[in-house]
Amino acid sequence: MEAILAAGIGLMLGSFLSVLIGRWPHWRGAAAGRSHCPNCMHVLAWYDLVPLASWVWLRGKCRYCGGPISTLYPVLELTTAAVLATAVIVSGVATMWSLLGLVVLFGLVGLFFFDLVHHMLPDAIVYPLALLVVARIAYYRPDQLVNALATGVLLSSLLALLFFYSRGRWLGFGDVKLAFVIGALFGYPMAVGVTLAAIWGGALAGVGLMVFRRATMQTALPFGSFWTAAAIATLLAPSWIAYLSGLLTPAF
Ligand SMILES: [Zn+2]
């Protein structure tokens, strides 16, 4: 029951996120205005903006001009819903710790899509997320606070060195700030594992794209997306580990 509720809230939060991503970087001017079709500028009615349902009903086309609506919207809404529902199934919402964990997950999903679409990690998400992660550990796991802060600062310093050494060619400064979030969220040694998983994921994706000639050595892959994806997968690990072991267990 809670999982269904979480999925519903996830759809709405994902829809909100897709508006932020779609209107970037004109948040201030556009946030006040009504949503409109970017193609024909027709103002959209509430029934054009129901998460997922509107997109499916209209088959991905604008009601007024027939122009295409980006698949980003339903994908983003579904992803947010799936992540939040899975998290609720895994850890429930019994404690403040797990409720705040849902907020952290939502922030990570936001960063994943921002880096994927715009190749940047907005401070408006990274800073509050860093604050939340540190406050959550300070209050509920004070014994882990030193580890969390030290890992965050060290990981961030390491990436800052790489950033300045490569003059921003290997990674963006947003990754330096994200490093603090990942370091503080997982602490040592788990943060190292999450980072290595992201590097491997990025390398495999890069090779895959080159094999299919969609990319060259010069193509910049959004490392922040791989990093946040690895973080989300790790936070949800109990669920997919249980699923995989279910698959491997003989049915008889
Ligand atoms: Zn239109």
Side-chain angles (χ1 to χ4, degrees), residues 192-208 221 223 226-227 230:
V192 179
V194 171
T195 308
L196 289 177
I199 293 171
W200 273 103
L204 284 177
V207 169
L221 285 175
F223 184 63
F226 290 99
W227 223 357

PDB file of all heavy atoms in Angstrom, residues 192-208 221 223 226-227 230:
ATOM      1  N   VAL A 192      34.075   4.439  -1.934  1.00  0.00           N
ATOM      2  CA  VAL A 192      35.082   4.047  -2.932  1.00  0.00           C
ATOM      3  C   VAL A 192      34.464   3.036  -3.894  1.00  0.00           C
ATOM      4  O   VAL A 192      34.639   3.133  -5.114  1.00  0.00           O
ATOM      5  CB  VAL A 192      36.330   3.449  -2.242  1.00  0.00           C
ATOM      6  CG1 VAL A 192      37.359   3.026  -3.279  1.00  0.00           C
ATOM      7  CG2 VAL A 192      36.928   4.457  -1.272  1.00  0.00           C
ATOM      8  N   GLY A 193      33.705   2.074  -3.349  1.00  0.00           N
ATOM      9  CA  GLY A 193      33.045   1.073  -4.179  1.00  0.00           C
ATOM     10  C   GLY A 193      32.064   1.706  -5.155  1.00  0.00           C
ATOM     11  O   GLY A 193      32.033   1.363  -6.340  1.00  0.00           O
ATOM     12  N   VAL A 194      31.263   2.668  -4.650  1.00  0.00           N
ATOM     13  CA  VAL A 194      30.277   3.351  -5.494  1.00  0.00           C
ATOM     14  C   VAL A 194      30.988   4.106  -6.621  1.00  0.00           C
ATOM     15  O   VAL A 194      30.566   4.087  -7.780  1.00  0.00           O
ATOM     16  CB  VAL A 194      29.426   4.319  -4.643  1.00  0.00           C
ATOM     17  CG1 VAL A 194      28.554   5.204  -5.512  1.00  0.00           C
ATOM     18  CG2 VAL A 194      28.570   3.533  -3.657  1.00  0.00           C
ATOM     19  N   THR A 195      32.118   4.757  -6.274  1.00  0.00           N
ATOM     20  CA  THR A 195      32.871   5.531  -7.269  1.00  0.00           C
ATOM     21  C   THR A 195      33.473   4.612  -8.328  1.00  0.00           C
ATOM     22  O   THR A 195      33.416   4.909  -9.527  1.00  0.00           O
ATOM     23  CB  THR A 195      33.969   6.348  -6.572  1.00  0.00           C
ATOM     24  OG1 THR A 195      33.375   7.102  -5.519  1.00  0.00           O
ATOM     25  CG2 THR A 195      34.650   7.285  -7.555  1.00  0.00           C
ATOM     26  N   LEU A 196      34.042   3.484  -7.881  1.00  0.00           N
ATOM     27  CA  LEU A 196      34.628   2.536  -8.833  1.00  0.00           C
ATOM     28  C   LEU A 196      33.551   1.983  -9.764  1.00  0.00           C
ATOM     29  O   LEU A 196      33.766   1.850 -10.976  1.00  0.00           O
ATOM     30  CB  LEU A 196      35.327   1.392  -8.100  1.00  0.00           C
ATOM     31  CG  LEU A 196      36.641   1.772  -7.386  1.00  0.00           C
ATOM     32  CD1 LEU A 196      37.201   0.568  -6.636  1.00  0.00           C
ATOM     33  CD2 LEU A 196      37.662   2.296  -8.402  1.00  0.00           C
ATOM     34  N   ALA A 197      32.379   1.673  -9.199  1.00  0.00           N
ATOM     35  CA  ALA A 197      31.269   1.164 -10.013  1.00  0.00           C
ATOM     36  C   ALA A 197      30.895   2.199 -11.077  1.00  0.00           C
ATOM     37  O   ALA A 197      30.622   1.852 -12.232  1.00  0.00           O
ATOM     38  CB  ALA A 197      30.063   0.850  -9.132  1.00  0.00           C
ATOM     39  N   ALA A 198      30.890   3.491 -10.695  1.00  0.00           N
ATOM     40  CA  ALA A 198      30.546   4.547 -11.641  1.00  0.00           C
ATOM     41  C   ALA A 198      31.594   4.650 -12.745  1.00  0.00           C
ATOM     42  O   ALA A 198      31.260   4.825 -13.925  1.00  0.00           O
ATOM     43  CB  ALA A 198      30.412   5.879 -10.912  1.00  0.00           C
ATOM     44  N   ILE A 199      32.895   4.529 -12.361  1.00  0.00           N
ATOM     45  CA  ILE A 199      33.971   4.612 -13.366  1.00  0.00           C
ATOM     46  C   ILE A 199      33.852   3.446 -14.351  1.00  0.00           C
ATOM     47  O   ILE A 199      33.935   3.616 -15.569  1.00  0.00           O
ATOM     48  CB  ILE A 199      35.352   4.612 -12.674  1.00  0.00           C
ATOM     49  CG1 ILE A 199      35.518   5.921 -11.873  1.00  0.00           C
ATOM     50  CG2 ILE A 199      36.472   4.462 -13.695  1.00  0.00           C
ATOM     51  CD1 ILE A 199      36.742   5.935 -10.974  1.00  0.00           C
ATOM     52  N   TRP A 200      33.612   2.226 -13.813  1.00  0.00           N
ATOM     53  CA  TRP A 200      33.436   1.049 -14.671  1.00  0.00           C
ATOM     54  C   TRP A 200      32.211   1.206 -15.575  1.00  0.00           C
ATOM     55  O   TRP A 200      32.267   0.911 -16.771  1.00  0.00           O
ATOM     56  CB  TRP A 200      33.284  -0.217 -13.812  1.00  0.00           C
ATOM     57  CG  TRP A 200      34.616  -0.815 -13.473  1.00  0.00           C
ATOM     58  CD1 TRP A 200      35.282  -0.725 -12.285  1.00  0.00           C
ATOM     59  CD2 TRP A 200      35.462  -1.563 -14.352  1.00  0.00           C
ATOM     60  NE1 TRP A 200      36.479  -1.365 -12.371  1.00  0.00           N
ATOM     61  CE2 TRP A 200      36.628  -1.900 -13.619  1.00  0.00           C
ATOM     62  CE3 TRP A 200      35.358  -1.980 -15.681  1.00  0.00           C
ATOM     63  CZ2 TRP A 200      37.674  -2.630 -14.183  1.00  0.00           C
ATOM     64  CZ3 TRP A 200      36.396  -2.709 -16.236  1.00  0.00           C
ATOM     65  CH2 TRP A 200      37.540  -3.027 -15.495  1.00  0.00           C
ATOM     66  N   GLY A 201      31.119   1.688 -14.987  1.00  0.00           N
ATOM     67  CA  GLY A 201      29.907   1.897 -15.771  1.00  0.00           C
ATOM     68  C   GLY A 201      30.144   2.889 -16.896  1.00  0.00           C
ATOM     69  O   GLY A 201      29.751   2.666 -18.047  1.00  0.00           O
ATOM     70  N   GLY A 202      30.835   3.989 -16.579  1.00  0.00           N
ATOM     71  CA  GLY A 202      31.135   5.015 -17.581  1.00  0.00           C
ATOM     72  C   GLY A 202      32.026   4.471 -18.686  1.00  0.00           C
ATOM     73  O   GLY A 202      31.800   4.726 -19.871  1.00  0.00           O
ATOM     74  N   ALA A 203      33.046   3.663 -18.283  1.00  0.00           N
ATOM     75  CA  ALA A 203      33.978   3.099 -19.261  1.00  0.00           C
ATOM     76  C   ALA A 203      33.248   2.125 -20.192  1.00  0.00           C
ATOM     77  O   ALA A 203      33.408   2.168 -21.417  1.00  0.00           O
ATOM     78  CB  ALA A 203      35.127   2.393 -18.545  1.00  0.00           C
ATOM     79  N   LEU A 204      32.413   1.255 -19.594  1.00  0.00           N
ATOM     80  CA  LEU A 204      31.668   0.286 -20.402  1.00  0.00           C
ATOM     81  C   LEU A 204      30.720   0.994 -21.365  1.00  0.00           C
ATOM     82  O   LEU A 204      30.628   0.630 -22.543  1.00  0.00           O
ATOM     83  CB  LEU A 204      30.867  -0.660 -19.495  1.00  0.00           C
ATOM     84  CG  LEU A 204      31.683  -1.747 -18.785  1.00  0.00           C
ATOM     85  CD1 LEU A 204      30.787  -2.563 -17.863  1.00  0.00           C
ATOM     86  CD2 LEU A 204      32.345  -2.656 -19.821  1.00  0.00           C
ATOM     87  N   ALA A 205      30.020   2.030 -20.853  1.00  0.00           N
ATOM     88  CA  ALA A 205      29.097   2.771 -21.710  1.00  0.00           C
ATOM     89  C   ALA A 205      29.861   3.448 -22.847  1.00  0.00           C
ATOM     90  O   ALA A 205      29.412   3.459 -23.995  1.00  0.00           O
ATOM     91  CB  ALA A 205      28.329   3.803 -20.894  1.00  0.00           C
ATOM     92  N   GLY A 206      31.048   3.997 -22.528  1.00  0.00           N
ATOM     93  CA  GLY A 206      31.869   4.660 -23.547  1.00  0.00           C
ATOM     94  C   GLY A 206      32.291   3.684 -24.636  1.00  0.00           C
ATOM     95  O   GLY A 206      32.167   3.965 -25.833  1.00  0.00           O
ATOM     96  N   VAL A 207      32.761   2.492 -24.219  1.00  0.00           N
ATOM     97  CA  VAL A 207      33.175   1.469 -25.186  1.00  0.00           C
ATOM     98  C   VAL A 207      31.976   1.035 -26.019  1.00  0.00           C
ATOM     99  O   VAL A 207      32.053   0.926 -27.253  1.00  0.00           O
ATOM    100  CB  VAL A 207      33.812   0.264 -24.458  1.00  0.00           C
ATOM    101  CG1 VAL A 207      33.994  -0.911 -25.416  1.00  0.00           C
ATOM    102  CG2 VAL A 207      35.151   0.662 -23.845  1.00  0.00           C
ATOM    103  N   GLY A 208      30.837   0.823 -25.333  1.00  0.00           N
ATOM    104  CA  GLY A 208      29.617   0.409 -26.023  1.00  0.00           C
ATOM    105  C   GLY A 208      29.215   1.415 -27.090  1.00  0.00           C
ATOM    106  O   GLY A 208      28.904   1.057 -28.225  1.00  0.00           O
ATOM    107  N   LEU A 221      31.116  11.908 -21.620  1.00  0.00           N
ATOM    108  CA  LEU A 221      29.987  11.236 -20.984  1.00  0.00           C
ATOM    109  C   LEU A 221      29.749  11.904 -19.631  1.00  0.00           C
ATOM    110  O   LEU A 221      30.689  12.242 -18.938  1.00  0.00           O
ATOM    111  CB  LEU A 221      30.301   9.744 -20.792  1.00  0.00           C
ATOM    112  CG  LEU A 221      30.245   8.884 -22.050  1.00  0.00           C
ATOM    113  CD1 LEU A 221      30.700   7.465 -21.751  1.00  0.00           C
ATOM    114  CD2 LEU A 221      28.842   8.863 -22.619  1.00  0.00           C
ATOM    115  N   PHE A 223      29.722  12.084 -16.203  1.00  0.00           N
ATOM    116  CA  PHE A 223      30.140  11.201 -15.115  1.00  0.00           C
ATOM    117  C   PHE A 223      29.179  11.278 -13.933  1.00  0.00           C
ATOM    118  O   PHE A 223      28.941  10.274 -13.250  1.00  0.00           O
ATOM    119  CB  PHE A 223      31.565  11.534 -14.656  1.00  0.00           C
ATOM    120  CG  PHE A 223      32.073  10.579 -13.610  1.00  0.00           C
ATOM    121  CD1 PHE A 223      32.235   9.234 -13.907  1.00  0.00           C
ATOM    122  CD2 PHE A 223      32.346  11.018 -12.322  1.00  0.00           C
ATOM    123  CE1 PHE A 223      32.677   8.340 -12.945  1.00  0.00           C
ATOM    124  CE2 PHE A 223      32.783  10.121 -11.347  1.00  0.00           C
ATOM    125  CZ  PHE A 223      32.954   8.788 -11.659  1.00  0.00           C
ATOM    126  N   PHE A 226      26.539   8.628 -14.085  1.00  0.00           N
ATOM    127  CA  PHE A 226      26.976   7.286 -13.695  1.00  0.00           C
ATOM    128  C   PHE A 226      27.150   7.194 -12.180  1.00  0.00           C
ATOM    129  O   PHE A 226      26.839   6.183 -11.553  1.00  0.00           O
ATOM    130  CB  PHE A 226      28.293   6.936 -14.398  1.00  0.00           C
ATOM    131  CG  PHE A 226      28.121   6.733 -15.869  1.00  0.00           C
ATOM    132  CD1 PHE A 226      28.427   7.738 -16.767  1.00  0.00           C
ATOM    133  CD2 PHE A 226      27.614   5.540 -16.358  1.00  0.00           C
ATOM    134  CE1 PHE A 226      28.237   7.562 -18.124  1.00  0.00           C
ATOM    135  CE2 PHE A 226      27.429   5.347 -17.714  1.00  0.00           C
ATOM    136  CZ  PHE A 226      27.733   6.366 -18.601  1.00  0.00           C
ATOM    137  N   TRP A 227      27.661   8.292 -11.612  1.00  0.00           N
ATOM    138  CA  TRP A 227      27.908   8.308 -10.167  1.00  0.00           C
ATOM    139  C   TRP A 227      26.605   8.249  -9.383  1.00  0.00           C
ATOM    140  O   TRP A 227      26.465   7.495  -8.420  1.00  0.00           O
ATOM    141  CB  TRP A 227      28.681   9.577  -9.793  1.00  0.00           C
ATOM    142  CG  TRP A 227      29.785   9.339  -8.816  1.00  0.00           C
ATOM    143  CD1 TRP A 227      30.105   8.150  -8.220  1.00  0.00           C
ATOM    144  CD2 TRP A 227      30.709  10.304  -8.338  1.00  0.00           C
ATOM    145  NE1 TRP A 227      31.174   8.341  -7.390  1.00  0.00           N
ATOM    146  CE2 TRP A 227      31.567   9.632  -7.441  1.00  0.00           C
ATOM    147  CE3 TRP A 227      30.891  11.680  -8.576  1.00  0.00           C
ATOM    148  CZ2 TRP A 227      32.595  10.295  -6.776  1.00  0.00           C
ATOM    149  CZ3 TRP A 227      31.916  12.329  -7.912  1.00  0.00           C
ATOM    150  CH2 TRP A 227      32.762  11.643  -7.037  1.00  0.00           C
ATOM    151  N   ALA A 230      25.024   4.809  -9.762  1.00  0.00           N
ATOM    152  CA  ALA A 230      25.678   3.830  -8.882  1.00  0.00           C
ATOM    153  C   ALA A 230      25.224   4.033  -7.442  1.00  0.00           C
ATOM    154  O   ALA A 230      25.006   3.063  -6.707  1.00  0.00           O
ATOM    155  CB  ALA A 230      27.197   3.967  -8.987  1.00  0.00           C
TER     156      ALA A 230
END
